[in-house]
Amino acid sequence: MTAVTAPARTRSVLVERPGSHRLVSAPTPSPGPGEALVRVAAAGLCGSDREVYDGGRPAPYVRYPLVPGHEWSGTVAAVGDGVPPGLVGRKVVGENFRTCLTCERCRAGDTSLCAAAYDETGFTRPGAFADTLVVPARLLHPLPDDADLAAAALLEPAAVAAAAALAAHAVPGDRVAVLGAGTLGLLAVRFLAAVSPVELIAVDPRRARAEQALAMGATGTRSPGEAAGGFDVVVETAGAPGTAAAAAELTRRGGRVVLVGLPGTAARGLDPVRLMTGHLTVRGVFGAPSAAWTHAVRAFATGLLDPAPLITHAFPLERWGEAVALVGGGDPTVGKVLVRPAA
């Protein structure tokens, strides 16, 4: 267990409105009943953070002014009433959806489908691009004492990838393709490799990124023009305008398509004739339920999953503007970008 103290004041990156951010400082908040104060060790940036900064995220899914940051890890510095004091000093990651736990979907375990109004850390609540973060303690997942907190910051996208892999229902001997070799795609490859498919192909126009999938368990790579069809399972993570339709075309009749990448308004829709005559099962994944988080954290804690090789850049909190500028810029050498508030 790690001893940690909270600073008297917390610095945060505040996005006041699209395209405008500044570093602010305020007294560190105290956790209320049922809450925990986390000293943030690392926070990752993804395309959603770039959307928040650029103003491209749909209005119901963001609330300005905002401290973003939904991929994070840290150490519990203090807890509020009703929270076991033994949690203090534990390394943790945490879920971000503020679920109601009382609706029918939550009761069924589908917490990412909570029927209450959308509410998520880093989008409608203050996020982790800050020295400290206050979250409901019930959302925390403790990590081993020797956990690498930089790598653990990738457990949020890993939980989404785990949700996709679980939804794919791949079994040993399946032929599987993953479209997109970004962070989500590479993590999905790792989870899918664990079920021993006979073929596991990463499809990406960026050859260097696709080849990273080999180290995560892929059996081969293809560019989009090289990929032939007939796959039992296709998981789409790229979110490019045509990749959802391409995923359906690559799937054999009776196969399964899982859509994870979130495309913009220019996306090409799925052909209903192809879906019907192909007897395709299509499943979307947005966020991750608690079960997928548990799956990802267990894989990380046992050594099955090591996201550390996906990290290519790390910045201190003061250089958040430089960090977010790297995301979505098209540079194939840029993988996961982290912000380290204590750096």
Side-chain angles (χ1 to χ4, degrees):
M1 190 172 294
T2 304
V4 63
T5 57
R9 297 183 66 84
T10 286
R11 301 167 305 147
S12 305
V13 173
L14 182 69
V15 178
E16 297 176 296
R17 58 187 180 279
S20 174
H21 79 279
R22 60 190 175 97
L23 194 67
V24 299
S25 176
T28 296
S30 298
E35 294 181 332
L37 174 70
V38 177
R39 183 73 185 261
V40 178
L45 288 116
C46 81
S48 297
D49 297 303
R50 184 63 186 262
E51 282 183 343
V52 166
Y53 188 60
D54 290 344
R57 190 167 176 84
Y61 298 97
V62 65
R63 188 179 301 151
Y64 298 101
L66 172 70
V67 177
H70 61 286
E71 302 178 3
W72 56 270
S73 64
T75 304
V76 177
V79 296
D81 291 343
V83 181
L87 196 59
V88 175
R90 292 295 305 269
K91 293 180 177 181
V92 294
V93 291
E95 301 175 39
N96 296 305
F97 285 123
R98 307 295 183 96
T99 54
C100 71
L101 298 183
T102 59
C103 72
E104 183 178 357
R105 294 290 66 181
C106 283
R107 295 277 184 164
D110 296 322
T111 52
S112 57
L113 300 179
C114 178
Y118 171 76
D119 195 9
E120 185 175 6
T121 299
F123 297 105
T124 62
R125 300 288 186 108
F129 293 127
D131 292 314
T132 66
L133 174 67
V134 174
V135 293
R138 64 180 174 84
L139 299 180
L140 296 178
H141 290 260
L143 302 173
D145 290 343
D146 62 351
D148 176 357
L149 287 178
L154 277 71
L155 284 174
E156 192 278 340
V160 176
L166 292 169
H169 297 295
V171 297
D174 270 350
R175 296 183 64 233
V176 181
V178 175
L179 302 192
T183 299
L184 272 179
L186 294 172
L187 292 169
V189 165
R190 187 71 195 103
F191 285 110
L192 291 162
V195 302
S196 301
V198 69
E199 186 178 18
L200 177 53
I201 302 299
V203 181
D204 197 293
R206 304 164 297 180
R207 179 64 66 185
R209 293 306 298 271
E211 289 179 350
Q212 281 188 274
L214 299 175
M216 303 297 280
T219 61
T221 66
R222 301 284 189 277
S223 68
E226 296 170 340
F231 290 96
D232 300 290
V233 175
V234 178
V235 178
E236 189 285 319
T237 68
T243 46
E249 291 300 322
L250 289 174
T251 308
R252 67 161 174 84
R253 295 191 72 203
R256 302 176 297 285
V257 179
V258 180
L259 304 178
V260 188
L262 194 61
T265 56
R268 181 160 58 93
L270 301 178
D271 180 358
V273 175
R274 168 64 180 157
L275 300 183
M276 182 183 65
T277 60
H279 292 247
L280 300 185
T281 299
V282 180
R283 169 72 183 271
V285 170
F286 177 70
S290 294
W293 269 93
T294 299
H295 191 59
V297 170
R298 182 179 298 169
F300 176 73
T302 58
L304 178 67
L305 173 69
D306 179 14
L310 306 186
I311 301 167
T312 59
H313 296 76
F315 293 86
L317 196 62
E318 297 87 347
R319 296 173 62 190
W320 186 85
E322 296 174 58
V324 76
L326 289 176
V327 178
D331 185 344
T333 67
V334 176
K336 177 53 64 176
V337 179
L338 295 184
V339 167
R340 305 293 302 268

